[in-house]
């Protein structure tokens, strides 16, 4: 999903970036939603580098940071739930994430007809 520059600058410290030979190949962010809840956001890997384990490594880095921060759970909204399920996430109903829906989703142009699926994992 496109992001405005102010939004990127506001959240730049949330990101992990995978770089090789001065080229950015992927990125992923851990956004803290609540004192015990985090969200994996903005996971992206260049097409030619997909299937190389970069996405997996970026998500695991986010989960590791979530654990260090004392979060109990981390969720993601995704069109590729199988990727996250391989990492131990479980499918849940999006309505189990009211903080996400009524803070971010309600402002999305796809709301309320979003096709993303929600996944969640315990990190504590």
């Amino acid at each position: 999903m496109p992001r405005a520059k102010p939004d990127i600058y506001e959240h730049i410290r949330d990101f992990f970036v995978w770089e090789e030979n001065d080229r950015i190949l992927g990125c992923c962010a851990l956004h803290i939603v609540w004192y015990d809840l985090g969200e994996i956001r903005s996971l992206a890997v260049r097409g030619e580098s997909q299937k190389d384990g970069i996405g997996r490594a970026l998500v695991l880095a986010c989960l590791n940071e979530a654990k260090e921060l004392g979060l109990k759970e981390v969720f993601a909204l995704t069109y590729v739930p199988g990727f996250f399920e391989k990492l131990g996430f479980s499918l849940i109903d999006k309505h189990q994430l009211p903080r996400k829906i009524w803070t971010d989703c309600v402002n999305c142009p796809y709301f309320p007809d979003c096709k993303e699926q929600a996944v969640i994992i315990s990190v504590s």
Side-chain angles (χ1 to χ4, degrees):
M1 178 174 307
R3 300 250 185 233
K5 280 189 180 181
D7 185 51
I8 292 170
Y9 294 137
E10 185 177 338
H11 297 101
I12 195 73
R13 297 189 73 184
D14 294 349
F15 280 85
F16 289 89
V17 177
W18 188 285
E19 181 182 359
E20 287 181 11
N21 302 321
D22 295 326
R23 283 187 71 219
I24 294 175
L25 300 182
C27 65
C28 188
L30 173 67
H31 177 72
I32 299 171
V33 176
W34 204 246
Y35 75 95
D36 61 348
L37 182 66
E39 177 186 11
I40 300 287
R41 294 174 125 177
S42 305
L43 174 59
V45 177
R46 283 188 182 270
E48 72 271 11
S49 297
Q50 291 181 1
K51 308 285 184 195
D52 290 346
I54 294 171
R56 175 185 174 83
L58 289 167
V59 170
L60 292 177
C62 288
L63 294 177
N64 198 30
E65 182 178 45
K67 190 172 188 173
E68 289 174 6
L69 293 171
L71 301 180
K72 293 181 182 171
E73 294 180 306
V74 174
F75 73 92
L77 296 179
T78 180
Y79 294 111
V80 190
F83 169 81
F84 287 93
E85 288 176 302
K86 288 178 187 174
L87 296 174
F89 285 76
S90 300
L91 284 168
I92 61 166
D93 186 316
K94 278 187 277 197
H95 294 98
Q96 291 181 265
L97 302 168
R99 290 182 193 111
K100 173 67 177 175
I101 291 170
W102 298 114
T103 56
D104 292 333
C105 294
V106 73
N107 297 313
C108 176
Y110 300 111
F111 183 80
D113 297 319
C114 175
K115 303 296 184 231
E116 288 182 305
Q117 293 183 283
V119 292
I120 196 161
I121 190 170
S122 173
V123 293
S124 58

